[in-house]
C-alpha cells in the first residue's frame, strides 16, 4: 500500500466543520451552527446556501449523485440515488441541488418494515436532514444523513427516536446542572462502539449455503483445534488481514471515522475494531458505515466479513461494546469523578441516575439487544448473561456502601462522606480488575454496555439508555428544584437511591449458576433469555409510559416496533430452518449415501476376493452412518413439520414462542446427527468446507 498522509486523508470525504467554515459565508455558517448546537430551526434561505456549497464541494470531489441516507427498521442503512443533473436550455446539463432537496426527500416507504403504521396511516414517507451528522461522499454519491418518518409523523427509522432520546436526556441533565449552578448549552451522550467480526475466505464462504443465506453456519463438526490455546487473542495479525485492515482504516478515515484500535479476538478468524468515541448519533451513523465498509473492503481482499453474532458453534461469537458517557458542550464528562466536593456530589448523582435507570428498565436494555442472532450469545458463558446488572468495582462500591450506611469509607484514608462537603476519596481507575462477565460495567469515566450483538445497530440500546437515564434525572430534578436545603436533600436522595437500587449492583462472576439463582430468586432481577421472552416487555405499562412521557416514542411507534422486531426474529429463524432442510435433503443425505455406497461396494468386493478379510472398519462405519441417515431423515421431517405449523399462527408473539420452543430445539437436534456423520464420512465426500478450513485458512 502506498504511503498515506493520514491528517490529509482524514475527513477528506466529509462536509465537516472545517469545510463549512471555509466555504460558507459567516452568516450562513453561524445560523447552521446554531441549528447544530442548539436545535434551532433551520431557515430555508440558509438551507439553499448550504446546499449550493455542498453541491460544489461534492462535484469537485467527483460526486455525480446525492442521496438521503437513512436507517430504516431493517437494521441496515438505505439510500436511493438521484443525480445532480438538470437539463439546460442549450441541450446539455447543469449540476443542481436545492435547499429543498437537502432538507427533505420522499422515498417510497411502502417496502420498508413499518409494523402496521403504513396500513393505518400513509403509504408515503419522508426523510429529513439531520444537520448534527455531517454529509459525506461514498461511491461518487453525496450522502445526507437523514431521519425517516411517515407522513403522519411516526418515526420509521432508528435515528428519529435516538435524536429524541438524546434531547430528553439533554433537557433533564441541564435541569440538574442548573441546580449545581451550571448553565451549559447542551448535554450530549457519547459512544465508542467496539466492533467484533470474523473474516473467512470468500471462495469457501460461497460454497456454504448456510453462510450465504443466514450469515452463520448451521452445521459443522468441531475441528481438532478451536480457541483453547488462546493463541489468537492479540496474536500477530496475518498478512492478508493486515492488508484488509489498512485499506479499511483508510476508507474509514476518509469518511471522518476515528478508527483507532484493531486486534485479533479470542476465536480463530475473529477480529475487533474500535473507534475513538463521538456524539451518539454520529457514532451510530459511523458504526453503520463501518459495518458496511468492512464488508465491502473484505470482498476486495477475497474474504467475507461476517457480522453475525454466532457464525460458528463451539468458538466465541461476536458482540459490540457500547462505551457510553454524558458530557456538556464545555467538555465536562459528567461520569468523571471531579476534584472538588461539589463536583463529586454531582458525579455521584449522575452515577445514581444510571444505576437507577438500569435497575428500573432492565427489561428495556435487554430487549434493545434482542435478536435471533444475539440469543446464541447472551447467557452462553462467552458474552454477558441475559440478566442485566451493574459492575462498579470494589472501590466505588465501597464508597456507595459508606454513603448508604453513614460509615467511614475504608479506602486509603478513613473518611465519612458528607456529600457536597467532603472530597470523594480517590479511587484508582485501573482497568485491570475489570469484570468481563458484567453486562454493564463502570470503567472509570464511562459505562460499558456489553450485551450488544455484533450486527445490532447501536441506536436501539442508546435510545433506551438515554431515555431511562433522562427519567431518573427528571425525578431528581423534580425533587431537588423544590428543595430548601439543597445539600441535605441531595445527600438524602443519593442515599435513598443507593438503598433502593443496590440489588442491581453486582461485582461477582456473572457466568455462575449461583448468580442466576441469587439474581432471580433473592434480588428479583429479570432473566429474559430469548427474544420472544424479552421483546413483548416493550409494551409493558411502565415502559410505555416512560418512553412516551419523554417523547421518545408514540404508542403507535412502540406497538409497531415490537411487532417488527418479533417478525424479524421469526423470519430469521424460519430462513435458517428452511436452509437446514435444503442442505440436508439436497447435499448431506446424498453425500452420506455416496460414501455408504462406496463402503458397501468395497466390502463386498473385498469379501469376494478373500474369505479372511473382516471389513470391521467398513461395516461398523456403514452401520452407524446408515443409522444416522435414518435419524437425520426423521429429524428433518420433524423440522419440516414444525416450520409448516408456524403458518397456522396469526399472532406474532405466539409464532415467536413456537419458534423458541419447537423449531429451534428441532434444528439443534438435526444438527447433532449431521455433525456426527461428518466425523465418520470421508472428507472428499463431504459437500461443504469444514470448520477447520473456514476458521484457519485465511493467511
Ligand atoms: P477497552 O474497553 O478495550 O479497554 P477503552 O476503555 O480504551 O478500551 O475504550 C473503549 C472504547 O471506549 C473506545 O471506543 C473509546 O473511544 C471509548 N471511550 C473512551 N472514553 C469514553 C467516554 N468518555 N465516553 C464514551 N466512550 C469512551
Ligand atoms: Mg471494552
Amino acid at each position: 500500500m502506498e504511503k498515506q498522509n493520514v491528517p490529509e486523508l482524514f475527513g477528506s470525504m466529509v462536509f465537516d466543520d472545517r469545510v463549512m467554515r471555509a466555504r460558507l459565508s459567516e452568516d450562513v455558517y453561524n445560523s447552521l451552527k446554531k441549528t447544530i448546537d442548539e436545535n434551532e430551526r433551520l431557515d430555508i434561505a440558509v438551507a439553499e446556501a448550504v446546499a449550493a456549497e455542498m453541491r460544489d464541494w461534492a462535484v469537485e470531489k467527483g460526486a455525480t449523485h446525492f442521496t438521503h441516507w437513512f436507517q430504516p427498521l431493517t437494521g441496515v442503512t438505505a439510500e436511493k440515488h438521484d443525480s445532480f443533473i438538470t437539463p439546460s436550455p442549450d441541450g446539455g446539463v447543469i449540476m443542481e441541488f436545492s435547499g429543498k432537496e437537502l432538507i427533505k426527500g420522499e422515498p417510497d416507504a411502502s417496502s420498508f418494515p413499518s409494523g402496521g403504521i403504513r396500513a393505518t396511516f400513509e403509504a408515503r414517507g419522508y426523510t429529513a436532514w439531520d444537520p448534527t451528522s455531517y454529509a459525506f461522499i461514498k461511491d461518487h454519491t453525496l450522502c445526507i444523513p437523514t431521519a425517516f418518518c411517515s407522513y403522519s409523523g411516526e418515526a420509521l427509522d432508528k435515528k428519529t427516536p435516538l435524536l429524541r432520546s438524546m434531547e430528553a436526556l439533554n433537557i433533564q441533565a441541564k435541569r440538574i446542572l442548573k441546580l449545581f449552578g451550571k448553565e451549559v448549552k447542551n448535554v450530549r451522550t457519547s459512544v465508542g462502539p467496539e466492533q467484533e467480526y470474523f473474516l473467512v475466505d470468500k471462495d469457501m464462504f460461497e460454497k456454504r449455503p448456510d453462510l450465504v443465506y443466514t450469515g452463520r453456519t448451521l452445521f459443522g463438526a468441531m475441528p481438532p483445534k478451536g480457541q483453547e490455546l488462546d493463541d489468537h487473542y492479540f496474536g500477530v495479525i496475518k498478512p492478508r488481514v493486515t492488508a484488509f485492515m489498512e485499506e479499511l482504516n483508510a476508507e474509514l478515515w476518509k469518511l471522518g471515522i476515528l478508527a483507532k484500535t484493531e486486534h485479533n479476538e479470542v476465536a480463530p478468524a475473529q477480529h475487533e475494531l474500535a473507534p475513538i468515541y463521538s456524539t451518539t448519533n454520529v457514532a451510530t451513523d459511523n458504526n453503520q458505515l463501518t459495518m458496511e465498509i468492512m464488508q465491502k473492503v473484505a470482498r476486495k481482499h477475497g474474504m467475507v466479513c461476517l457480522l453475525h453474532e454466532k457464525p460458528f458453534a463451539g468458538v466465541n461469537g461476536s458482540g459490540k461494546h457500547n462505551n457510553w458517557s454524558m458530557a456538556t458542550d464545555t467538555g465536562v464528562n459528567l461520569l468523571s469523578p471531579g476534584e472538588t466536593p461539589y463536583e463529586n456530589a454531582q458525579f455521584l448523582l449522575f452515577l445514581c441516575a444510571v444505576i437507577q435507570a438500569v435497575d428500573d428498565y432492565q427489561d428495556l436494555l435487554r430487549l434493545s439487544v434482542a435478536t435471533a442472532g444475539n440469543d446464541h450469545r447472551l447467557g452462553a458463558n462467552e458474552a454477558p448473561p441475559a440478566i442485566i446488572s451493574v459492575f462498579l468495582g470494589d472501590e466505588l462500591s465501597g464508597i456507595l456502601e459508606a454513603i448508604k450506611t453513614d460509615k467511614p469509607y475504608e479506602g486509603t484514608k478513613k473518611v465519612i462522606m458528607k456529600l457536597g462537603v467532603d472530597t470523594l476519596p480517590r479511587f484508582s481507575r485501573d482497568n485491570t480488575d475489570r469484570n468481563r462477565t458484567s453486562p454493564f460495567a463502570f470503567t472509570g469515566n464511562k459505562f460499558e454496555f456489553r450485551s450488544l450483538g455484533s450486527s445490532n445497530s447501536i441506536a436501539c440500546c442508546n435510545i433506551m439508555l438515554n431515555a431511562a437515564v433522562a427519567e431518573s434525572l427528571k425525578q431528581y430534578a423534580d425533587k431537588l428544584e423544590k428543595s430548601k436545603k439543597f445539600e441535605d436533600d441531595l445527600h438524602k436522595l443519593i442515599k435513598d437511591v443507593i438503598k433502593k437500587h443496590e440489588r442491581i449492583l453486582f461485582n461477582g462472576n456473572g457466568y455462575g449458576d449461583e448468580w442466576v439463582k441469587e439474581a432471580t430468586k433473592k434480588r428479583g432481577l429479570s432473566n429474559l433469555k430469548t427474544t420472544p421472552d424479552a421483546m413483548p416487555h416493550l409494551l409493558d405499562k411502565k415502559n410505555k409510559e416512560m418512553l412516551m412521557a419523554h417523547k421518545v416514542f408514540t404508542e403507535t411507534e412502540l406497538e409497531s416496533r415490537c411487532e417488527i422486531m418479533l417478525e424479524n426474529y421469526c423470519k430469521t429463524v424460519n430462513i435458517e430452518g428452511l436452509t437446514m432442510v435444503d442442505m440436508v435433503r439436497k447435499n448431506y443425505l446424498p453425500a452420506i449415501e455416496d460414501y455408504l455406497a462406496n463402503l458397501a461396494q468395497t466390502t463386498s468386493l473385498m469379501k469376494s476376493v478373500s474369505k479372511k478379510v473382516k471389513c470391521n472398519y467398513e461395516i461398523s462405519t456403514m452401520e452407524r452412518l446408515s443409522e444416522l441417515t435414518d435419524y437425520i431423515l426423521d429429524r428433518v421431517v420433524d423440522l419440516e413439520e414444525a416450520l409448516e405449523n408456524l403458518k397456522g399462527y396469526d399472532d406474532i408473539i405466539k409464532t415467536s414462542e413456537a419458534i423458541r420452543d419447537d423449531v429451534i430445539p428441532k434444528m439443534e437436534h438435526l444438527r447433532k446427527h449431521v455433525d456426527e456423520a461428518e466425523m465418520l464420512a470421508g472428507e472428499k465426500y463431504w459437500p461443504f468446507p469444514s470448520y477447520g478450513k473456514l476458521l484457519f485458512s485465511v493467511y
Side-chain angles (χ1 to χ4, degrees):
M1 199 157 180
E2 37 193 300
K3 194 160 158 256
Q4 305 169 350
N5 180 339
V6 178
E8 211 166 273
L9 193 71
F10 188 82
S12 58
M13 289 301 184
V14 185
F15 196 75
D16 60 14
D17 197 61
R18 292 177 302 181
V19 182
M20 290 188 219
R21 202 187 287 263
R23 301 189 70 127
L24 300 174
S25 75
E26 206 177 314
D27 285 354
V28 170
Y29 175 80
N30 287 338
S31 76
L32 181 60
K33 210 57 191 145
K34 263 196 131 41
T35 303
I36 294 172
D37 292 341
E38 293 164 65
N39 260 338
E40 221 149 272
R41 237 194 132 69
L42 191 77
D43 193 76
I44 181 74
V46 174
E48 286 298 349
V50 177
E53 273 312 319
M54 241 188 218
R55 174 208 54 206
D56 289 351
W57 169 82
V59 170
E60 280 166 32
K61 298 262 179 198
T64 52
H65 289 67
F66 70 92
T67 182
H68 277 200
W69 184 77
F70 57 104
Q71 297 164 30
L73 297 167
T74 51
V76 291
T77 56
E79 43 195 82
K80 175 187 139 217
H81 299 185
D82 277 303
S83 71
F84 290 122
I85 62 164
T86 303
S88 60
D90 61 3
V93 291
I94 49 167
M95 302 298 254
E96 282 212 311
F97 180 52
S98 69
K100 209 176 137 264
E101 285 170 313
L102 168 63
I103 292 181
K104 194 165 170 179
E106 299 192 15
D108 181 6
S110 57
S111 297
F112 292 106
S114 74
I117 285 182
R118 225 172 32 235
T120 29
F121 295 88
E122 252 289 2
R124 285 177 308 161
Y126 70 91
T127 48
W129 181 31
D130 166 18
T132 61
S133 183
Y134 298 132
F136 56 90
I137 297 170
K138 177 170 71 79
D139 301 332
H140 303 289
T141 301
L142 171 67
C143 299
I144 300 146
T146 54
F148 179 40
C149 301
S150 76
Y151 256 84
S152 42
E154 265 80 16
L156 294 173
D157 67 349
K158 303 203 180 208
K159 172 171 273 209
T160 308
L162 178 66
L163 292 172
R164 292 177 188 156
S165 73
M166 289 170 71
E167 181 54 15
L169 187 136
N170 176 41
I171 293 169
Q172 304 304 334
K174 283 202 293 195
R175 285 176 70 194
I176 297 286
L177 287 175
K178 214 167 170 179
L179 292 165
F180 285 87
K182 291 185 191 134
E183 294 271 357
V184 297
K185 274 198 208 152
N186 62 54
V187 172
R188 286 201 176 139
T189 57
S190 306
V191 169
E194 301 163 61
Q195 176 73 49
E196 291 181 341
Y197 59 96
F198 278 82
L199 289 174
V200 296
D201 183 82
K202 181 168 154 285
D203 293 338
M204 286 188 202
F205 169 91
E206 277 162 2
K207 290 194 182 112
R208 299 251 348 185
D210 44 3
L211 283 178
V212 172
Y213 293 136
T214 73
R216 74 174 178 111
T217 54
L218 300 167
F219 300 96
M222 274 310 283
K225 175 178 155 131
Q227 64 190 39
E228 55 279 79
L229 290 176
D230 290 324
D231 53 350
H232 195 254
Y233 191 55
F234 285 8
V236 177
I237 301 174
K238 293 167 180 164
R240 203 159 145 204
V241 176
T242 303
F244 157 83
M245 285 179 173
E246 275 177 11
E247 186 170 344
L248 174 64
N249 283 336
E251 289 305 315
L252 295 177
W253 289 335
K254 278 187 209 163
L255 292 171
I257 297 173
L258 295 152
K260 172 85 175 162
T261 313
E262 57 199 19
H263 60 79
N264 287 353
E265 260 300 332
V266 172
Q270 191 185 29
H271 310 277
E272 179 183 298
L273 174 97
I276 296 171
Y277 67 97
S278 50
T279 308
T280 305
N281 64 321
V282 175
T284 305
D285 287 357
N286 286 352
N287 183 247
Q288 292 297 132
L289 271 175
T290 301
M291 292 194 282
E292 175 186 328
I293 290 169
M294 274 177 168
Q295 302 191 61
K296 269 194 196 146
V297 174
R299 291 262 173 183
K300 282 174 70 181
H301 291 260
M303 297 182 288
V304 176
C305 170
L306 304 177
L307 290 167
H308 194 282
E309 283 75 16
K310 194 72 185 173
F312 301 98
V315 296
N316 276 9
S318 297
K320 183 142 58 189
H321 290 176
N322 189 80
N323 294 273
W324 179 95
S325 65
M326 299 173 265
T328 64
D329 61 293
T330 50
V332 178
N333 178 352
L334 299 172
L335 290 178
S336 198
E339 300 295 332
T340 67
Y342 228 58
E343 283 170 0
N344 290 161
Q346 182 191 301
F347 158 70
L348 285 171
L349 190 63
F350 279 102
L351 184 79
C352 282
V354 181
I355 293 170
Q356 177 179 337
V358 178
D359 187 23
D360 284 345
Y361 300 101
Q362 300 157 43
D363 45 1
L364 285 182
L365 287 175
R366 170 63 186 92
L367 68 88
S368 75
V369 300
T371 58
N374 213 17
D375 281 358
H376 296 286
R377 293 177 63 244
L378 299 179
N381 286 10
E382 60 169 74
I387 303 166
I388 304 284
S389 64
V390 177
F391 170 86
L392 293 181
D394 292 340
E395 286 182 290
L396 195 50
S397 301
I399 291 169
L400 294 194
E401 184 66 24
I403 296 171
K404 187 187 89 177
T405 53
D406 288 318
K407 293 239 174 69
Y409 168 66
E410 310 270 351
T412 32
K413 238 182 18 207
K414 275 202 174 192
V415 273
I416 297 195
M417 305 237 303
K418 175 95 169 71
L419 287 173
V421 180
D422 297 320
T423 327
L424 196 63
R426 291 219 156 264
F427 58 96
S428 61
R429 290 209 221 140
D430 190 6
N431 287 338
T432 47
D433 71 337
R434 264 201 254 162
N435 181 339
R436 289 276 154 193
T437 68
S438 175
F440 204 95
F442 184 71
T443 48
N445 61 358
K446 62 186 194 292
F447 275 100
E448 186 168 340
F449 185 32
R450 305 199 180 113
S451 306
L452 286 77
S454 46
S455 69
N456 286 168
S457 158
I458 62 169
C460 307
C461 78
N462 286 299
I463 293 169
M464 298 309 176
L465 188 53
N466 293 341
V469 174
E471 173 61 25
S472 318
L473 294 173
K474 176 186 176 291
Q475 292 177 14
Y476 304 167
D478 287 349
K479 266 198 199 128
L480 295 172
E481 278 168 0
K482 286 193 235 114
S483 159
K484 301 242 157 37
K485 284 190 267 168
F486 179 66
E487 274 161 30
D488 290 349
D489 288 342
L490 175 64
H491 189 97
K492 184 172 173 316
L493 174 70
I494 290 181
K495 228 168 116 167
D496 288 348
V497 173
I498 299 170
K499 274 192 197 150
K500 189 156 172 224
H501 297 285
E502 64 185 345
R503 65 167 189 163
I504 198 77
L505 304 177
F506 179 61
N507 290 339
N509 174 17
Y511 291 168
D513 288 338
E514 316 82 68
W515 170 234
V516 178
K517 245 188 261 152
E518 180 182 333
T520 53
K521 301 254 153 58
K522 261 171 71 187
R523 302 191 184 206
L525 301 179
S526 65
N527 183 11
L528 302 167
K529 290 201 181 115
T530 67
T531 304
D533 298 317
M535 203 52 76
H537 288 285
L538 185 58
L539 303 180
D540 287 358
K541 189 158 173 283
K542 79 162 174 57
N543 294 337
K544 258 168 117 170
E545 279 174 1
M546 185 277 284
L547 291 165
M548 285 159 65
H550 289 279
K551 300 197 162 41
V552 174
F553 286 112
T554 65
E555 186 159 24
T556 321
E557 286 169 355
L558 284 170
E559 281 163 5
S560 72
R561 262 154 227 254
C562 182
E563 169 136 358
I564 291 167
M565 296 311 289
L566 282 173
E567 215 172 72
N568 184 279
Y569 170 86
C570 295
K571 285 179 181 165
T572 303
V573 183
N574 194 48
I575 292 171
E576 290 177 348
L578 292 173
T579 304
M580 287 184 99
V581 170
D582 198 74
M583 288 169 81
V584 166
R585 287 207 179 269
K586 292 200 185 126
N587 304 97
Y588 284 123
L589 285 176
I592 301 170
E593 285 300 297
D594 281 351
Y595 189 53
L596 281 173
N598 178 293
L599 288 173
Q601 273 166 10
T602 310
T603 310
S604 67
L605 200 63
M606 282 164 77
K607 290 216 169 194
S608 72
V609 175
S610 157
K611 295 241 163 356
K612 278 198 206 143
V613 293
K614 292 210 207 91
C615 290
N616 282 346
Y617 157 66
E618 289 79 1
I619 292 169
S620 64
T621 308
M622 199 170 62
E623 282 172 357
R624 181 61 188 155
L625 272 178
S626 169
E627 210 169 25
L628 282 171
T629 53
D630 292 341
Y631 291 149
I632 291 169
L633 178 69
D634 288 349
R635 298 287 80 87
V636 82
V637 169
D638 268 1
L639 178 59
E640 283 166 334
E641 274 171 17
L643 291 168
E644 192 56 33
N645 287 343
L646 294 178
K647 294 182 184 150
Y649 298 100
D650 49 11
D651 175 282
I652 195 71
I653 294 184
K654 294 242 165 62
T655 314
S656 70
E657 287 167 352
I659 286 183
R660 176 194 62 195
D661 300 334
D662 192 29
V663 174
I664 291 178
K666 286 181 174 153
M667 285 166 60
E668 281 163 7
H669 207 161
L670 172 61
R671 173 184 184 145
K672 214 178 95 207
H673 294 308
V674 175
D675 289 357
E676 188 189 335
E678 181 178 349
M679 299 302 286
L680 295 175
E683 182 170 7
K684 69 172 194 203
Y685 288 84
W686 211 241
F688 306 115
S690 66
Y691 263 35
K693 293 241 160 59
L694 284 163
L695 287 169
F696 293 100
S697 66
V698 165
Y699 198 83

